[in-house]
Each structure stands twice: as C-alpha cells, then as structure tokens.
Amino acid sequence: MQTPPTDPPRINQWKTLDKDLGRLGLLEQATAYATRPLIAPSIALAFMVVVAIAVSAMMGWQSGTVLVVIASVVGAYMALNIGANDVANNMGPAVGANALSLGGALVIAAVFETAGALIAGGDVVNTIASGIVAPEAVSEPKVFVWAMLAALLAAALWLNLATWLGAPVSTTHSIVGGVVGAGIVAAGMSAVNWPGVGRIAASWVISPVMGGVIAAVFLSFIKARILYRVDKLAAARRWVPVLIGVMAGTFAAYLALKGLSRVLRIELGMALLIGLGGGVLAWLVSVPLIRRQSRGLENRKKSIRVLFAVPLVCSAALLSFAHGANDVANAVGPLAAIVHTLRAGDVAAQVSIPFWVLLIGAFGISFGLMLFGPRLIRLVGTQITKLNPMRAYCVALSAAITVIIASWLGLPVSSTHIAVGAVFGVGFFREWHAERRARLLNIRKGKPVPAEERKRRKLVRRSHFVTVAAAWVVTVPVSALLAALIFFVFDAVG
C-alpha cells in the first residue's frame, strides 16, 4: 500500500517578512543617523542657490550680472555664518539660565534679527570698513570689486572655521581684517589706516574687560542688596523694579544709538534722554507687577530668580533686534558696494543698501542661526560658567551699557567680545566671591575643604577661555591673510 505524499513543511512567510522589515527599519535608522549632519549644510546650500537664481532673474542679462550673482552668493554665505556665530552672544545667557528653551531662543532670535535688519538695517554703509583703507587707493572699479569680494569671502571662511572650532568671534573684526588684507595687496601698505587698525586691536582687550567688570559690578550689587538680605522678597520688591528700569533705560538708549540709525539720526545726548525717560517709565510700571509676582513666593534665592526671567527674555530679544540692525551691514555692505560699483562704474565712499540686498542679509542671518547656531548658544550659555537669571541679566545689561560707553568714547568695540567677556566676568567674580566668603566667614557645605582643594575647584572653564582669547587675537591677521590670497586668485583669473 503506497503512502500518500506528505506536504512540505510550511514556512511562516509573515515572520520572515517581519524580519526583513526589521532589517530595513534598522538600515533606515542608520542611514538617517549618518545623513543627519548633512541636513543643515544642504539647506544652507539650497538657500545660496535660491539667492543666485533670484538675483539672476532680477538682474537679467546685462554687464556685470555674473559678478553680482557671485557676490550675492558670497554675501548669503557670510550672513549664514554671522547667524551661526554671532547671535549666540544674545541668546546664550538666556538659554543657559533656563529662562528660554533652545527652540524658543532660536525662534525669538530669528524674528528679532530679521526685524532689526529690515526695519533699522544700515541705510548707508561705509564701503571701506570705517576708514580702514583710503578710498582713493582703490579707485579703479575692477580692483575695488575684487578687493571687496575677497574681503567678504575671507571673513565668511574665517567665521565658518571659528564656528566649527566653537569660538565666538567678532564679525566686524573679521570683515575689517579682510579689507586690510585685500587693501594691502591691491594698493600697498600705505593705503591702510594703521592707527585705525591699532584702535581695533586695542578693543580686543578693552571690550571684554569692560563688559566683564560691569557685569561683575551688577552681580555684586544683586548679591549684596537682595540675595544676602534676611528678607529677600522685601529687598527684591524694592530693587528689582529699579534694575528693570536701568535695563529698560539702557536698552532704549542702546536702540536709539545703534538700532534706529536708518529711521532717525539720534545723537548721544538725545539717546541718553530717551533712555532716562524709558527707564523711569519701566520702573513705574514694574513696581506693582513685581509686587504681584512675588506674592506667595518663598523667602529664598530660588524664588528671586523667577522675578528676573521675563526681563532677561526681553533683553535677549532687544539685543537680537539691535544686532540685526547693525551686523547685517557686515554681511551685505561689501555686496552693496560691489553692486553700486558695477552699475555706476565708479567707486563711492558710501553707498545705500538696496532692499533686496537687505533681504539676503536678514534671511541669511536667520537661516544660519536656526541651522548652525545651537552649538555656540550652548557654549556661551552653559559651558563657560553656570548661569542663572540674575547672572544672565547682568551679562545682557553689561553688553548694552558697554556699547553706550564705547560710543561715547569713540572706541571701536565688538558686541561679541563684550558679551562673552561679561560671561567670563560673571564667572571669575563668582570664583573670587566664593573664595572670599569661604575664607572670611568660614562658610562650608559638608566637611571642610582645604585651601589647596578650593583653588582647584574653578567656576570658569579655562580651556574655553584660552580658545576664545586665541581666536580673538588671530581674527584680523587670519582674515587679512585669507583675503590677500583670495585677491591674488581673483586678480589672476580676472
């Protein structure tokens, strides 16, 4: 009797499919992880391509179109790098103090940077970077265009490298260095205003020291008048409105001086009067608000931080507005000069910035901030020293006050150096103050700590101090060297 053939064993096809889908899922995750670092550069590249297409369509086929398109792309690249590097100084302290999330800081900064650039962006730009190179030395249009393009590209490349290294540097000093390097090659050493370069070099020391000292003075005041009082809430109700008034008045004067030059020309005396009026008004408004906000809070330091959170957010937004109004010229000032020279056929000492050029700068800064800004925001806000709302408030206030003092003294200071110097100033003051209290009052938490051990416990990360200081010192020389090399290439090709 023949046995019927047995069926082959059944294979669970669904189980096999599940395994295959699992492998595909892991492959997709690995691919996404590997390509994630390419997303931001791809978006930045797409932005520059869009700029090139838009400028080409607007200019049409005429003489100089190719150069204008190339300069526009370089200007967009410079704006991206300004957003990636420079805006961290405005938002870093607020993020480090947990007054703003990183996402919230990026949105606020992007909105106010764009608003500052478009509403109060530079109407007239000195095309030779504040008199660093004599205009008559580069009066030939072709030489001038190559020099400005070389300076712009060199500054952008240095900012890109500094951002990659994690060093917040001055965009103004970068573009000045580029102009110096290109100017020397194009017109010789005698064309450069060396006393002007010397004043900029002096500001490497003056800016951060002044910012750090002012921030430390305000932090010392807050500790003495509020944090170390027995009734901290009563002290806060008295002094926080005063500090808010000082902040509001300072920013009113700061914006009048530095942020509204396109709308209205305001001298220093009038700006100070505007600041005084704004400060008194803010003090009157904040007295009942702080009294209401402090109800129900516990009498301890952590409660006082709540009262500084909103003023800190406002100061970060105002700093971003003023930064957009001022530093957009670093991105598009040389571009505006190139456009004017190619259209008019001559070199002008000052030119107006067309609105479409401002758009490139404004959106470039915002894109750069959103795509590449978080790294330096975290460094300035959390990796130099530990910040809370009171310390971050002192940093923001110091930045505004120092710029006003520098404007009064005629010093070419950098907002980057001031803000980062203020962060370091707050950190070094904390070290000094903690050691002083431990030594004089014998205050200890837990078991006593020997003096040698206290010296090793630092509140400021020294490695960042060395990196940032070195980057500041080499900014102008490196930008100048890059611009000189690029000018040689352009001159050879052209």
PDB file of all heavy atoms in Angstrom, residues 70-80 152 331-332 335 360-361:
ATOM      1  N   ILE A  70      27.645  86.211  -8.182  1.00  0.00           N
ATOM      2  CA  ILE A  70      28.691  85.610  -7.344  1.00  0.00           C
ATOM      3  C   ILE A  70      28.805  86.345  -6.006  1.00  0.00           C
ATOM      4  O   ILE A  70      28.874  85.729  -4.937  1.00  0.00           O
ATOM      5  CB  ILE A  70      30.045  85.627  -8.088  1.00  0.00           C
ATOM      6  CG1 ILE A  70      29.996  84.702  -9.300  1.00  0.00           C
ATOM      7  CG2 ILE A  70      31.176  85.227  -7.151  1.00  0.00           C
ATOM      8  CD1 ILE A  70      31.227  84.781 -10.184  1.00  0.00           C
ATOM      9  N   ALA A  71      28.794  87.677  -6.052  1.00  0.00           N
ATOM     10  CA  ALA A  71      28.875  88.467  -4.817  1.00  0.00           C
ATOM     11  C   ALA A  71      27.658  88.224  -3.932  1.00  0.00           C
ATOM     12  O   ALA A  71      27.788  88.180  -2.695  1.00  0.00           O
ATOM     13  CB  ALA A  71      28.992  89.950  -5.164  1.00  0.00           C
ATOM     14  N   SER A  72      26.479  88.056  -4.520  1.00  0.00           N
ATOM     15  CA  SER A  72      25.273  87.793  -3.732  1.00  0.00           C
ATOM     16  C   SER A  72      25.365  86.454  -3.015  1.00  0.00           C
ATOM     17  O   SER A  72      24.958  86.328  -1.851  1.00  0.00           O
ATOM     18  CB  SER A  72      24.039  87.818  -4.648  1.00  0.00           C
ATOM     19  OG  SER A  72      23.889  89.073  -5.265  1.00  0.00           O
ATOM     20  N   VAL A  73      25.896  85.452  -3.702  1.00  0.00           N
ATOM     21  CA  VAL A  73      26.057  84.129  -3.071  1.00  0.00           C
ATOM     22  C   VAL A  73      27.061  84.210  -1.924  1.00  0.00           C
ATOM     23  O   VAL A  73      26.837  83.645  -0.838  1.00  0.00           O
ATOM     24  CB  VAL A  73      26.498  83.086  -4.116  1.00  0.00           C
ATOM     25  CG1 VAL A  73      26.863  81.766  -3.445  1.00  0.00           C
ATOM     26  CG2 VAL A  73      25.387  82.861  -5.137  1.00  0.00           C
ATOM     27  N   VAL A  74      28.160  84.930  -2.136  1.00  0.00           N
ATOM     28  CA  VAL A  74      29.151  85.094  -1.066  1.00  0.00           C
ATOM     29  C   VAL A  74      28.551  85.883   0.099  1.00  0.00           C
ATOM     30  O   VAL A  74      28.790  85.566   1.278  1.00  0.00           O
ATOM     31  CB  VAL A  74      30.419  85.783  -1.600  1.00  0.00           C
ATOM     32  CG1 VAL A  74      31.406  86.055  -0.469  1.00  0.00           C
ATOM     33  CG2 VAL A  74      31.083  84.914  -2.664  1.00  0.00           C
ATOM     34  N   GLY A  75      27.751  86.927  -0.216  1.00  0.00           N
ATOM     35  CA  GLY A  75      27.076  87.674   0.841  1.00  0.00           C
ATOM     36  C   GLY A  75      26.106  86.805   1.624  1.00  0.00           C
ATOM     37  O   GLY A  75      26.002  86.915   2.859  1.00  0.00           O
ATOM     38  N   ALA A  76      25.380  85.919   0.943  1.00  0.00           N
ATOM     39  CA  ALA A  76      24.479  84.983   1.624  1.00  0.00           C
ATOM     40  C   ALA A  76      25.266  84.037   2.518  1.00  0.00           C
ATOM     41  O   ALA A  76      24.855  83.728   3.647  1.00  0.00           O
ATOM     42  CB  ALA A  76      23.669  84.202   0.595  1.00  0.00           C
ATOM     43  N   TYR A  77      26.417  83.571   2.028  1.00  0.00           N
ATOM     44  CA  TYR A  77      27.283  82.686   2.818  1.00  0.00           C
ATOM     45  C   TYR A  77      27.783  83.407   4.062  1.00  0.00           C
ATOM     46  O   TYR A  77      27.827  82.830   5.161  1.00  0.00           O
ATOM     47  CB  TYR A  77      28.436  82.231   1.930  1.00  0.00           C
ATOM     48  CG  TYR A  77      29.479  81.386   2.607  1.00  0.00           C
ATOM     49  CD1 TYR A  77      29.140  80.236   3.307  1.00  0.00           C
ATOM     50  CD2 TYR A  77      30.829  81.726   2.522  1.00  0.00           C
ATOM     51  CE1 TYR A  77      30.112  79.453   3.916  1.00  0.00           C
ATOM     52  CE2 TYR A  77      31.806  80.957   3.122  1.00  0.00           C
ATOM     53  CZ  TYR A  77      31.442  79.818   3.812  1.00  0.00           C
ATOM     54  OH  TYR A  77      32.411  79.052   4.422  1.00  0.00           O
ATOM     55  N   MET A  78      28.165  84.676   3.915  1.00  0.00           N
ATOM     56  CA  MET A  78      28.613  85.473   5.060  1.00  0.00           C
ATOM     57  C   MET A  78      27.479  85.640   6.069  1.00  0.00           C
ATOM     58  O   MET A  78      27.689  85.505   7.283  1.00  0.00           O
ATOM     59  CB  MET A  78      29.096  86.843   4.572  1.00  0.00           C
ATOM     60  CG  MET A  78      29.526  87.792   5.684  1.00  0.00           C
ATOM     61  SD  MET A  78      30.976  87.228   6.583  1.00  0.00           S
ATOM     62  CE  MET A  78      31.353  88.693   7.551  1.00  0.00           C
ATOM     63  N   ALA A  79      26.270  85.917   5.599  1.00  0.00           N
ATOM     64  CA  ALA A  79      25.129  86.094   6.501  1.00  0.00           C
ATOM     65  C   ALA A  79      24.834  84.806   7.268  1.00  0.00           C
ATOM     66  O   ALA A  79      24.524  84.838   8.468  1.00  0.00           O
ATOM     67  CB  ALA A  79      23.902  86.535   5.706  1.00  0.00           C
ATOM     68  N   LEU A  80      24.922  83.673   6.595  1.00  0.00           N
ATOM     69  CA  LEU A  80      24.733  82.389   7.271  1.00  0.00           C
ATOM     70  C   LEU A  80      25.731  82.220   8.413  1.00  0.00           C
ATOM     71  O   LEU A  80      25.371  81.767   9.515  1.00  0.00           O
ATOM     72  CB  LEU A  80      24.887  81.244   6.276  1.00  0.00           C
ATOM     73  CG  LEU A  80      23.756  81.040   5.260  1.00  0.00           C
ATOM     74  CD1 LEU A  80      24.197  80.092   4.154  1.00  0.00           C
ATOM     75  CD2 LEU A  80      22.499  80.493   5.943  1.00  0.00           C
ATOM     76  N   LEU A 152      35.032  89.874   1.705  1.00  0.00           N
ATOM     77  CA  LEU A 152      33.781  89.241   2.134  1.00  0.00           C
ATOM     78  C   LEU A 152      33.945  87.727   2.242  1.00  0.00           C
ATOM     79  O   LEU A 152      33.536  87.111   3.234  1.00  0.00           O
ATOM     80  CB  LEU A 152      32.672  89.590   1.147  1.00  0.00           C
ATOM     81  CG  LEU A 152      31.228  89.239   1.534  1.00  0.00           C
ATOM     82  CD1 LEU A 152      30.834  89.909   2.826  1.00  0.00           C
ATOM     83  CD2 LEU A 152      30.280  89.663   0.405  1.00  0.00           C
ATOM     84  N   ALA A 331      27.435  91.644   6.517  1.00  0.00           N
ATOM     85  CA  ALA A 331      27.150  90.624   5.506  1.00  0.00           C
ATOM     86  C   ALA A 331      26.951  91.231   4.129  1.00  0.00           C
ATOM     87  O   ALA A 331      27.431  90.693   3.130  1.00  0.00           O
ATOM     88  CB  ALA A 331      25.912  89.823   5.915  1.00  0.00           C
ATOM     89  N   VAL A 332      26.250  92.341   4.058  1.00  0.00           N
ATOM     90  CA  VAL A 332      25.826  92.851   2.751  1.00  0.00           C
ATOM     91  C   VAL A 332      26.405  94.219   2.409  1.00  0.00           C
ATOM     92  O   VAL A 332      26.160  94.721   1.314  1.00  0.00           O
ATOM     93  CB  VAL A 332      24.283  92.903   2.676  1.00  0.00           C
ATOM     94  CG1 VAL A 332      23.705  91.512   2.815  1.00  0.00           C
ATOM     95  CG2 VAL A 332      23.713  93.846   3.730  1.00  0.00           C
ATOM     96  N   LEU A 335      28.675  93.715  -0.432  1.00  0.00           N
ATOM     97  CA  LEU A 335      27.831  93.357  -1.578  1.00  0.00           C
ATOM     98  C   LEU A 335      27.173  94.598  -2.170  1.00  0.00           C
ATOM     99  O   LEU A 335      27.142  94.779  -3.403  1.00  0.00           O
ATOM    100  CB  LEU A 335      26.769  92.339  -1.148  1.00  0.00           C
ATOM    101  CG  LEU A 335      25.672  92.013  -2.161  1.00  0.00           C
ATOM    102  CD1 LEU A 335      26.265  91.482  -3.450  1.00  0.00           C
ATOM    103  CD2 LEU A 335      24.671  91.012  -1.563  1.00  0.00           C
ATOM    104  N   ILE A 360      18.653  89.491   1.604  1.00  0.00           N
ATOM    105  CA  ILE A 360      19.646  88.416   1.632  1.00  0.00           C
ATOM    106  C   ILE A 360      20.319  88.351   2.999  1.00  0.00           C
ATOM    107  O   ILE A 360      20.472  87.276   3.594  1.00  0.00           O
ATOM    108  CB  ILE A 360      20.697  88.629   0.520  1.00  0.00           C
ATOM    109  CG1 ILE A 360      20.057  88.462  -0.861  1.00  0.00           C
ATOM    110  CG2 ILE A 360      21.869  87.657   0.685  1.00  0.00           C
ATOM    111  CD1 ILE A 360      20.993  88.781  -2.020  1.00  0.00           C
ATOM    112  N   GLY A 361      20.711  89.508   3.519  1.00  0.00           N
ATOM    113  CA  GLY A 361      21.366  89.528   4.825  1.00  0.00           C
ATOM    114  C   GLY A 361      20.456  89.087   5.949  1.00  0.00           C
ATOM    115  O   GLY A 361      20.853  88.291   6.813  1.00  0.00           O
TER     116      GLY A 361
END
